[in-house]
Amino acid sequence: MHEALESIHQRVLSRNPGETEFHQAVREVLESIGPAVDKHPEYADAKIVERICEPERQIIFRVPWEDDHGGIHINRGFRVEFNSALGPYKGGLRFHPTVLLGTVKFLGFEQVFKNALTGLPIGGGKGGSDFDPRGRSDREVMRFCQSFMLELYRHIGEHTDVPAGDMGVGGRELGYLFGQYKRITNRYESGVLTGKGLIYGGAQVRREATGYGSAFFVEEMLRVRGQSFDGKDVVVSGSGNVAIYTIEKVHELGGRVVACSDSGGFVHDPNGIDLELLKDVKEVRRERIGVYADKASSATFVEGGSIWEVPCQVALPSATQNELDAAGAAALVRNGCLAVGEGANMPTTPDAVRVLQEAGVAFGPGKAANAGGVAASALEMQQNASRDSWTFEHSEARLRDIMIDIHARCHLTAEEYGAPGNYVAGANIAGYARVAEAMLALGLI
């Protein structure tokens, strides 16, 4: 790490004790941006790094709700509005038992740089709750969402902070959240939430965007190496929204996804994952991934186990943070993997990133590779602002152009700063420089 950044790093550690995921996210950026600090001393004079590492606003609130049997539950809600130099705060809401303030801060910090890389006028933020929607009835989820929005509504707005979905927050939850916001404010402010249903202001391709965008980014990483998805075996961890639509687009681009997973284990289907069956199991029946293997004679279910042991040329971790460790990365290298693209947020541990980079594997960090979701959210905001609705084809074309631009920005920035092929350095420096320039222009705020 650059000497001038080490003291900032230590200050972040001491001011945010116990927030290990946030520490990891900050360290990964600070380890990359040293060359930018040398090239732009004006950033240091204005304390840009110190200000970027400190959220503009952190909101924590109580969320009481009642279950179907009259039992009362108390959850905790969060919204971290991290940086608005480029535009209104933008980032999803995550409902999962593991959500803590440090989780939301790490996600919000990553979101600042991810949103900057899109080139669109959006700042970075994130939110969520330790509520678990799994196993809850629709009415229980509705009551929780209404209670959550009863506090959140006062902090958001289409020109202030625009949440979207994330883990545990899909179309059902967003519908309940938007309905309650509309009820409280008496305004049909479509642009206040993105990822909405098509019938009430949503946008084509938003559901598919993170997965599609990840595939488009990796396609570009392969292209600059003279490769493509054609004929390549691909492993995609997870089986939620991101994983499903990553698989869909990889198949369209000529690859063959041979394994996917959930928290119970993974399925290996050497004939290629049957996407329609997978969608039926996970989106319709909401079953565990093992059910896929019960229905597909060519598939094998491995309980527990590491999906990264499955031989492949491309790996796309698309489930959750820190799922790909050094041992998994070593297995990928040993089996001839050429490229890894992060479909989830920070799914690769620092040790695993080093293993992949030292082996010459093309590695696309999440703030670049999975930026398709927030890019499509910004496109949804455009359509809401103009009361317009674009076709699926036009929306996908816009998404692909944005992901190609993000790849080019990362690739060229890495070369400019003496780290050719290092997408981590390229993404971090490019995102940092864009936010820093905006912060300088706005003065000390």
Side-chain angles (χ1 to χ4, degrees), residues 198-272:
L198 293 176
I199 198 68
Y200 64 99
Q204 298 277 6
V205 188
R206 177 59 190 89
R207 179 176 60 172
E208 298 87 353
T210 306
Y212 278 20
S214 177
F216 290 146
F217 188 90
V218 173
E219 181 185 37
E220 287 298 295
M221 289 203 305
L222 291 169
R223 183 187 60 77
V224 298
R225 292 184 167 211
Q227 302 273 351
S228 72
F229 272 113
D230 281 345
K232 290 184 172 56
D233 284 347
V234 181
V235 164
V236 178
S237 67
S239 53
N241 183 74
V242 176
I244 285 172
Y245 292 101
T246 298
I247 294 169
E248 182 168 280
K249 186 52 62 177
V250 167
H251 285 175
E252 291 178 15
L253 295 173
R256 179 176 59 182
V257 177
V258 295
C260 62
S261 63
D262 65 14
S263 59
F266 69 89
V267 290
H268 178 209
D269 192 340
N271 292 339

Side-chain angles (χ1 to χ4, degrees), residues 76-94:
R76 185 174 285 176
F78 304 93
R79 189 67 183 173
V80 174
E81 297 173 334
F82 223 107
N83 192 292
S84 59
L86 293 173
Y89 308 105
K90 186 81 193 79
L93 298 169
R94 174 174 292 192

Side-chain angles (χ1 to χ4, degrees), residues 284-361:
V284 178
R285 291 194 266 168
R286 299 182 185 271
E287 299 274 10
R288 308 305 291 160
I289 196 68
V291 174
Y292 175 96
D294 295 337
K295 302 293 183 180
S297 59
S298 57
T300 303
F301 173 65
V302 179
E303 186 174 359
S306 172
I307 193 173
W308 313 117
E309 296 284 347
V310 178
C312 63
Q313 288 80 54
V314 179
L316 301 170
S318 305
T320 190
Q321 60 262 28
N322 292 323
E323 58 173 303
L324 173 54
D325 60 14
L332 290 173
V333 171
R334 187 168 59 248
N335 287 324
C337 185
L338 302 172
V340 174
E342 293 188 317
N345 292 305
M346 206 171 71
T348 312
T349 67
D351 288 343
V353 174
R354 280 190 286 274
V355 169
L356 296 170
Q357 290 181 327
E358 289 171 3
V361 176

Side-chain angles (χ1 to χ4, degrees), residues 378-432:
L379 300 181
E380 182 176 335
M381 291 166 67
Q382 288 183 27
Q383 293 168 77
N384 291 156
S386 61
R387 298 292 191 268
D388 198 2
S389 181
W390 302 342
T391 66
F392 190 98
E393 292 73 20
H394 177 72
S395 301
E396 184 179 356
R398 288 289 307 274
L399 171 64
R400 185 167 195 161
D401 287 345
I402 290 170
M403 297 309 299
I404 290 172
D405 287 346
I406 292 172
H407 174 271
R409 191 171 290 118
C410 297
H411 187 69
L412 294 174
T413 301
E415 290 188 345
E416 178 186 348
Y417 283 86
N422 187 333
Y423 290 97
V424 174
N428 287 332
I429 293 173
Y432 165 69

